[in-house]
Amino acid sequence: MSTAILTGTPPAGSSLEDDLRSLGFDVRTATGPAGATAALAAVPAAERVALVDHRFVGHVHALRLALTDPRFPAAAVTGALTAQPEARGALANALRALAAGESAADGAGAGLPDSAAARLAADDVAVHRPDLGVLVAAVPADDDLRAKALAETAAVDDEAVRLRSAVKSRDGFFTTFFISPYSRYVARWCARRGLTPNQVTTASLLTALIAAGCAATGTRPGFVAAGVLLIASFVLDCTDGQLARYSLQYSTLGAWLDATFDRAKEYAYYAGLALGAARGGDDVWALALGAMVLQTCRHVVDFSFNEANHDATANTSPTAALSDKLDSVGWTVWVRRMIVLPIGERWALIAVLTALTTPRVVFVVLLIGCAFAACYTTAGRVLRSLTRKARRTDRAAQALADLADSGPLAELASRTLGRTMPARAYSAPLWAAIAAAVLLAGPLLGSNAGTWRAVLQAAAYAVFAGVAVAHPLKGPLDWLVPPVFRGAEYGIILGLAALSDAPGALPAAFGLVAAVAYHHYDTVYRIRGGTGAPPHWLVRAIGGHEGRAVAVTAAAALWHGRGFTIALTVLAAAITLLVLSESIRFWVSAGAPAVHDETGEPA
């Protein structure tokens, strides 16, 4: 139970107390700053407390946005302020200061929530203020103003605004026009039946896994069912976020589930398609693994670019200005969102092609579309970076270093040879590109795949990779270093498995890349949550990207046939055990961040 402290008795006819109780608050009354201080002290320390002006007039959803969002320690709108346990001490200090007459507040407590919010802000306490849009939140000073505020409140449909604001403000064309118009009502149906976003997320995963199972049958009815179920899974995937926004049910566990289940669903479906194709006599595991590698590398490009630039100073670019100008023209917005194949368009494409064609066609079209999208987005970001006048922060450089995922071998090379190399503007991506070329060129283009020469090249890759990250990654194109390393590591696994004659090598490689990709996604979401990368012992234990490259090339040289498949399987299982156990421990801990990409339309 949360507690709401009213600054007095609401006027006759006011529904304020009932509104607060409907939001889960126990309502108490206190007069003046001293009375509010005493009431605050009487509330258990683990509870949320709201301070609400008794004259408040506005929508229930305005109060909901301000007082019940779990992501913010303190939040406010006009006439209402909330503090979670971590901000209660600051609120108590603000009320004591007000009681001592250090800020304006009359004896009846009028304006107390707004005065306390101003005091918190003056003390450098972050107070979130939700974008209310057309919603009303006011503290009228007399009867005429109160009547006007009540009329303005009655003129706006609170529930319609709440439904609209449950939808993401920036989404793909397919999601915006084919899913969200009805999925928001599914979200409301779930909310009214007490379902949580985590339950809907889990239902989405289960639906996708069933779809993968249908695809694995290799029959036309199975493929049709798989396509239909994949769309149903995506509807639920949209619904969980809309339910979280509709009912403000955000959680750290939900953030982790939402972040990881999307990848698990998509990659499990790829595996189902590959199994279904195999039942029909067509081996498409290389295409399935290629699709997973390409999609993961695309995401790493996104993450690295954003981390490098989100807090950069003097962050201006003529290319970015042109992009913003194009976004002001309606049709170009949707075209640009569609050609990058976001998850909605991508899943719709996969679902339709699964139902109508073959797994091979699905993967070929998917690879072509994702390759074009990758070239389009990466070229645009390179052009922005070359024309951008930006000074990157130490935090951005550390984030890129964490995303690089360097292990003991690269660290050793970085501390020795790397420190002797001069740090130039473009040296880091150049050394990374050289490292990738050394690792991939011989085994994939020559005839030394599965030989000890390839192992030596992997060792050279580790050295060059260490040189690439020897200095802080603050150059214009240094954000390319992590995706180059991802492409090199995933590429060598794919290439060696495809070139080997070992039965089952490609499915084993698929599992290995999936395990490593999970680790990289986990790293991204920890960094985005402000908690930093996974612990250093974990990165060292799983070898870093260069250590895994050496391990895979050594396995290919040591074992052939089923031995290589067994080695890949054991490596995948070991990495999965280490990474997943540490990830689960972190995300269910009290220190996990509430990471959400849940920005809805403004109210």
Side-chain angles (χ1 to χ4, degrees):
M1 177 68 72
S2 301
T3 298
I5 301 171
L6 290 178
T7 60
T9 302
S14 172
S15 63
L16 180 58
E17 291 188 62
D18 290 337
D19 292 341
L20 290 170
R21 291 191 180 99
S22 73
L23 297 177
F25 286 93
D26 177 30
V27 181
R28 303 179 186 180
T29 301
T31 303
T37 302
L40 176 64
V43 177
E47 287 188 10
R48 173 196 290 269
V49 173
L51 186 63
V52 183
D53 196 300
H54 63 285
R55 301 166 302 163
F56 178 88
V57 173
H59 290 96
V60 177
H61 193 49
L63 288 173
R64 180 182 290 107
L65 290 171
L67 305 183
T68 68
D69 195 324
R71 295 173 296 175
F72 307 104
V77 293
T78 300
L81 168 68
T82 187
Q84 294 206 66
E86 56 265 42
R88 290 256 316 253
L91 177 59
N93 291 336
L95 290 175
R96 282 192 289 268
L98 292 171
E102 294 184 18
S103 184
D106 64 29
L112 183 58
D114 295 333
S115 298
R119 182 77 193 191
L120 288 176
D123 292 339
D124 294 326
V125 177
V127 179
H128 172 67
R129 292 188 176 273
D131 184 358
L132 296 183
V134 297
L135 294 177
V136 175
V139 180
D142 55 43
D143 291 341
D144 290 339
L145 291 176
R146 181 176 182 81
K148 180 181 178 182
L150 288 170
E152 291 173 348
T153 303
V156 176
D157 186 341
D158 182 273
E159 180 61 20
V161 171
R162 187 181 178 191
L163 269 176
R164 187 178 71 247
S165 61
V167 178
K168 272 187 179 180
S169 56
R170 281 184 62 90
D171 228 328
F173 179 86
F174 179 76
T175 304
T176 300
F177 294 103
F178 292 92
I179 303 296
S180 293
Y182 59 88
S183 62
R184 69 185 74 183
Y185 296 101
V186 178
R188 181 171 67 181
W189 183 90
C190 292
R192 291 178 176 178
R193 282 151 185 81
L195 297 176
T196 67
N198 292 350
Q199 291 170 332
V200 177
T201 301
T202 303
S204 175
L205 173 66
L206 293 175
T207 304
L209 293 179
I210 295 171
C214 291
T217 64
T219 64
R220 180 53 53 194
F223 288 148
V224 172
V228 172
L229 287 171
L230 188 63
I231 293 298
S233 174
F234 183 65
V235 172
L236 292 173
D237 185 54
C238 294
T239 299
D240 65 359
Q242 291 166 356
L243 174 59
R245 289 185 289 274
Y246 180 84
S247 55
L248 299 184
Q249 296 183 73
Y250 300 107
S251 68
T252 55
L253 178 61
W256 177 63
L257 293 178
D258 190 58
T260 57
F261 278 12
D262 279 351
R263 304 287 76 76
K265 288 181 287 189
E266 188 166 1
Y267 299 157
Y269 192 82
Y270 291 174
L273 282 175
L275 289 170
R279 287 180 178 272
D282 190 11
D283 187 354
V284 297
W285 275 106
L287 294 176
L289 182 49
M292 181 166 68
V293 168
L294 180 55
Q295 186 56 41
T296 304
C297 289
R298 284 186 62 199
H299 283 148
V300 176
V301 169
D302 295 342
F303 298 143
S304 296
F305 181 80
N306 291 334
E307 286 301 323
N309 292 286
H310 89 282
D311 60 352
T313 57
N315 204 3
T316 60
S317 166
T319 309
L322 175 61
S323 178
D324 293 339
K325 186 175 182 179
L326 289 174
D327 277 345
S328 65
V329 181
W331 66 271
T332 65
V333 174
W334 296 115
V335 170
R336 296 173 72 207
R337 291 188 193 179
M338 290 173 66
I339 62 177
V340 299
L341 274 186
I343 187 170
E345 276 74 1
R346 194 166 66 251
W347 282 29
L349 176 69
I350 295 170
V352 171
L353 291 177
T354 299
L356 300 179
T357 64
T358 65
R360 180 172 291 275
V361 172
V362 173
F363 286 124
V364 168
V365 174
L366 183 63
L367 284 166
I368 293 172
C370 287
F372 176 79
C375 291
Y376 170 78
T377 55
T378 305
R381 285 167 179 171
V382 167
L383 188 58
R384 286 190 186 197
S385 300
L386 293 174
T387 59
R388 176 170 278 157
K389 297 179 180 179
R391 292 185 296 277
R392 292 182 171 84
T393 63
D394 292 337
R395 179 204 173 279
Q398 184 59 52
L400 291 179
D402 291 335
L403 289 173
D405 194 31
S406 300
L409 296 177
E411 289 178 346
L412 178 61
S414 176
R415 290 193 302 268
T416 53
L417 179 62
R419 298 295 168 84
T420 66
M421 299 293 181
R424 303 188 187 279
Y426 301 101
S427 58
L430 177 61
W431 283 114
I434 292 172
V438 168
L439 177 66
L440 298 174
L444 303 189
L445 301 180
S447 57
N448 62 337
T451 68
W452 287 105
R453 182 180 173 187
V455 180
L456 293 176
Q457 288 178 289
Y461 166 75
V463 173
F464 291 131
V467 173
V469 296
H471 301 284
L473 298 175
K474 294 185 176 182
L477 296 179
D478 284 3
W479 56 270
L480 285 170
V481 171
V484 168
F485 288 162
R486 294 298 79 76
E489 179 186 359
Y490 300 158
I492 196 65
I493 297 172
L494 167 60
L496 291 177
L499 292 173
S500 75
D501 295 327
L506 278 167
F510 189 96
L512 175 57
V513 172
V516 175
Y518 176 86
H519 164 62
H520 291 142
Y521 281 110
D522 186 50
T523 300
V524 164
Y525 282 98
R526 293 195 196 207
I527 292 173
R528 287 175 61 177
T531 59
H536 194 57
W537 69 261
L538 177 66
V539 178
R540 295 178 67 89
I542 60 176
H545 67 95
E546 81 290 351
R548 291 186 294 270
V550 171
V552 171
T553 53
L558 282 169
W559 298 290
H560 304 281
R562 289 195 178 277
F564 183 50
T565 300
I566 293 172
L568 291 178
T569 304
V570 170
L571 186 57
I575 291 175
T576 300
L577 180 62
L578 283 170
V579 169
L580 193 58
S581 59
E582 161 57 24
S583 178
I584 293 173
R585 181 209 64 78
F586 171 77
W587 286 103
V588 300
S589 69
V595 183
H596 291 274
D597 183 16
E598 296 294 358
T599 305
E601 293 283 359

